């Protein structure tokens, strides 16, 4: 009887090994994706009533020499204002914008520092001088340094940018005034610095410049500084400060826009 059990165990051994390998492969495949979602809300009542919502989604996929990134951000703000004609209070949007960024990196050598990239970006801001802005770029990048606690990634390359100016007349938005588009050839440079301060706190600094070749064309500069604190394994508290700068804007609009946000980040 014991010999029969031993023979059966030997026959099942290869299958158990294949199952373990399959399980390990499935685990590796699942871990190739990193997804995080963030949400922040602020509601005020009393003398002033307002509501703000900040949301974001980040997806990262790594496989072999490939690294794929997708980031989505949205912001909506409403403020209670009194109608000058009726005298009634109603909520009016004071900010409404969203953007999406996608990038793919391909490492030139296995485990190496150099990579080539492709990048695409789209932004829509209801209260800016642009109906929407979009850009695309390809080029070369490098992991300038990477340790257990810090890293610096930077890349640069040529690209194109297309801005659609909002239809504005002397009296404000006028349907009779057509939106105009403006394209430009650019050089895009971006960098991301990450520092793990301790087991619970992480600092990030991101910067991107989209420099137009022609001096009369709009160039774009963006910066985001963030500090993330781990609350539990999958939940984090994030403070971020963002600056957007356009060199050429329509009259009545500011060149610089800033955004300060506090959100909770959940990692899958």
């Amino acid at each position: 009887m014991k010999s029969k059990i031993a023979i059966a165990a030997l026959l099942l051994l290869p299958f158990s090994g294949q199952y373990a390998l399959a399980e390990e492969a499935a685990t590796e495949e699942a871990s190739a994706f990193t997804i995080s979602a963030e949400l922040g809300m602020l509601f005020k009542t009393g003398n002033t009533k307002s509501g703000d919502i900040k949301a974001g989604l980040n997806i990262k996929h790594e496989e072999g020499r490939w690294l794929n990134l997708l980031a989505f951000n949205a912001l909506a703000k409403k403020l209670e204002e009194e109608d000058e004609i009726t005298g009634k209070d109603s909520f009016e949007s004071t900010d409404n914008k969203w953007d999406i960024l996608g990038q793919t990196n391909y490492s030139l050598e296995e485990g190496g520092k150099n990579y080539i990239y492709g990048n695409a970006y789209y932004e829509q801001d209801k209260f800016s001088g642009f109906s929407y802005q979009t850009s695309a770029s390809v080029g070369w990048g490098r992991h300038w340094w990477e340790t257990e606690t810090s890293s610096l990634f930077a890349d640069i390359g040529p690209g194109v940018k297309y801005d659609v100016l909002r239809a504005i007349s002397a009296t404000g938005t006028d349907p009779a005034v057509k939106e105009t588009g403006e394209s430009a050839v650019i050089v895009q440079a971006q960098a991301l610095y990450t520092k793990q301060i301790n087991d619970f706190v992480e600092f990030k600094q991101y910067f991107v410049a989209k420099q137009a070749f022609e001096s009369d064309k709009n160039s774009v500069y963006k910066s985001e500084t963030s500090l993330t604190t781990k609350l539990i394994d999958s939940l984090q508290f994030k403070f971020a400060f963002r600056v957007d700068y356009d060199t050429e804007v329509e009259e009545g609009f500011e060149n610089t826009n800033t955004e300060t946000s506090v959100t909770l980040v959940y990692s899958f």
Side-chain angles (χ1 to χ4, degrees):
M1 183 65 180
K2 292 182 179 180
S3 61
K4 290 182 179 180
I5 294 175
I7 293 171
L10 289 172
L11 291 173
L12 289 172
L13 185 59
F15 294 99
S16 62
Q18 290 176 11
Y19 176 77
L21 291 174
E23 187 177 20
E24 182 179 353
T27 303
E28 290 179 355
E29 184 178 355
S31 63
F33 277 96
T34 303
I35 303 174
S36 63
E38 62 179 277
L39 179 66
M41 294 181 289
L42 174 63
F43 298 99
K44 293 176 65 178
T45 60
N47 295 325
T48 302
K49 295 180 181 180
S50 65
D52 305 347
I53 296 178
K54 173 75 165 60
L57 179 67
N58 291 274
I59 301 174
K60 178 181 178 181
H61 175 255
E62 290 184 89
E63 186 172 355
R65 298 188 182 186
W66 293 96
L67 171 62
N68 303 300
L69 303 169
L70 182 66
F72 172 80
N73 292 283
L75 175 67
K77 292 186 178 183
K78 285 195 173 185
L79 178 67
E80 187 183 52
E81 295 182 349
E82 182 179 342
D83 191 288
E84 295 180 357
I85 299 175
T86 64
K88 294 182 179 180
D89 293 333
S90 61
F91 281 94
E92 299 291 336
S93 295
T94 59
D95 203 348
N96 191 338
K97 63 181 178 181
W98 64 273
D99 61 67
I100 186 168
L101 168 68
Q103 178 159 327
T104 295
N105 298 348
Y106 179 76
S107 180
L108 296 177
E109 58 275 335
E110 192 70 37
K113 293 187 175 183
N114 298 291
Y115 62 89
I116 55 175
Y117 80 90
N119 176 287
Y121 179 79
Y122 179 89
E123 178 183 294
Q124 194 172 91
D125 188 347
K126 185 178 179 180
F127 290 89
S128 74
F130 303 95
S131 181
Y132 66 86
Q133 295 175 279
T134 184
S135 66
S137 172
V138 294
W140 165 83
R142 180 177 173 83
H143 303 179
W144 293 97
W145 81 70
E146 187 171 13
T147 67
E148 292 183 358
T149 58
S150 65
S151 63
L152 175 64
F153 296 72
D155 49 56
I156 187 171
V160 292
K161 183 172 65 66
Y162 187 70
D163 298 337
V164 176
L165 300 175
R166 193 173 300 282
I168 302 293
S169 67
T171 58
T173 304
D174 187 346
V177 180
K178 294 183 178 180
E179 295 180 337
T180 57
E182 181 181 82
S183 60
V185 179
I186 62 171
V187 171
Q188 176 173 299
Q190 60 180 351
L192 174 63
Y193 172 73
T194 303
K195 173 67 175 179
Q196 191 73 38
I197 298 175
N198 54 45
D199 293 339
F200 302 97
V201 181
E202 183 182 57
F203 170 83
K204 283 186 179 181
Q205 177 62 58
Y206 171 72
F207 176 78
V208 58
K210 302 175 185 180
Q211 179 65 49
F213 278 96
E214 300 177 57
S215 59
D216 60 336
K217 300 288 187 180
N218 181 44
S219 296
V220 178
Y221 305 93
K222 296 179 181 292
S223 171
E224 182 175 284
T225 306
S226 66
L227 199 64
T228 305
T229 303
K230 182 185 294 186
L231 301 177
I232 57 176
D233 288 341
S234 57
L235 189 64
Q236 298 171 317
F237 179 83
K238 178 181 176 182
F239 172 83
F241 179 70
R242 174 172 170 172
V243 180
D244 294 344
Y245 181 82
D246 289 272
T247 58
E248 304 293 331
V249 296
E250 293 294 293
E251 186 177 352
F253 293 95
E254 298 288 339
N255 296 86
T256 305
N257 291 284
T258 63
E259 176 188 314
T260 304
S261 62
V262 177
T263 57
L264 288 175
V265 181
Y266 181 79
S267 301
F268 298 88

